[in-house]
Amino acid sequence: MSKFNKKKSGDLPPVSTASLPDIVFMLLFFFMVATVMRDDEMLVENQLPAANQVEKLEDKNKLVNIYIGKPGVNYQKTFGTSDVVQLGDKISRVDDVYNYVNTKRSAMPENLQDQMMVSLKVDRNAKVGVLTDVKQELRKAQALKITYTSNQGDPMNNIKRR
């Protein structure tokens, strides 16, 4: 009998999992930093009109978004098919615009409250009546800096051809 045993050929050493938690935490940190969260879930149809004089806004933390359009397909049973106003993540009445804007203003840092702008994202097929009512509520709330969001393009494409 021999004292020495031959080593079995082809055996692999076990994989070390000591660095696995470090890799998992690096990936978690990367995705937390790199992921952009969506601001609002769209509950209304929002096909923006085209414009050729478009200017990109730099500071989006001063913006308060208000969406106007017909309710999405999933919400037409509840809200009908006429134009509605979306404030944040819910469809609201026009009367709620005043409180919504003031709540958003008070949540901003004090140095940005005077620079707050309201971004109206109005569907290209929306009626002007709801937009006018929203603008009246914005006047009551002293939110006088208003921008209209649009896509870059030829404004003649906005005209319905019959």
Side-chain angles (χ1 to χ4, degrees):
M1 288 187 112
S2 68
K3 290 186 188 178
F4 303 105
N5 291 331
K6 269 190 171 181
K7 218 178 189 183
K8 293 180 182 178
S9 63
D11 283 349
L12 294 174
V15 176
S16 173
T17 58
S19 64
L20 189 61
D22 293 335
I23 295 170
V24 169
F25 283 116
M26 278 193 322
L27 285 172
L28 178 67
F29 182 72
F30 171 77
F31 285 113
M32 284 174 54
V33 171
T35 302
V36 176
M37 301 303 265
R38 201 172 61 199
D39 290 336
D40 298 322
E41 181 182 346
M42 293 302 298
L43 306 177
V44 298
E45 294 176 6
N46 200 259
Q47 186 180 6
L48 297 174
N52 57 8
Q53 300 291 322
V54 177
E55 187 177 318
K56 189 166 178 110
L57 293 175
E58 297 295 324
D59 204 1
K60 300 214 180 214
N61 60 352
K62 298 181 210 174
L63 282 180
V64 174
N65 293 317
I66 296 177
Y67 303 94
I68 300 174
K70 294 189 183 334
V73 177
N74 299 338
Y75 303 99
Q76 286 182 354
K77 276 187 177 178
T78 308
F79 299 104
T81 57
S82 61
D83 293 336
V84 293
V85 178
Q86 179 181 341
L87 304 173
D89 283 335
K90 66 178 189 170
I91 295 176
S92 304
R93 297 186 335 253
V94 174
D95 301 339
D96 297 334
V97 171
Y98 178 85
N99 291 331
Y100 177 75
V101 169
N102 285 330
T103 303
K104 287 289 193 177
R105 180 184 288 138
S106 62
M108 288 182 177
E110 200 166 315
N111 61 336
L112 294 179
Q113 288 180 359
D114 293 338
Q115 301 171 7
M116 180 190 80
M117 294 176 66
V118 176
S119 175
L120 295 175
K121 297 185 177 186
V122 184
D123 185 59
R124 70 184 331 156
N125 298 319
K127 304 286 186 240
V128 178
V130 176
L131 176 61
T132 304
D133 295 342
V134 168
K135 286 172 47 177
Q136 291 295 335
E137 289 295 315
L138 291 173
R139 283 187 191 125
K140 288 180 195 174
Q142 295 297 312
L144 304 176
K145 295 178 184 174
I146 298 174
T147 63
Y148 293 94
T149 304
S150 66
N151 291 327
Q152 180 79 32
D154 183 15
M156 295 306 290
N157 292 338
N158 297 330
I159 300 172
K160 288 184 181 178
R161 294 188 183 8
R162 293 179 188 218

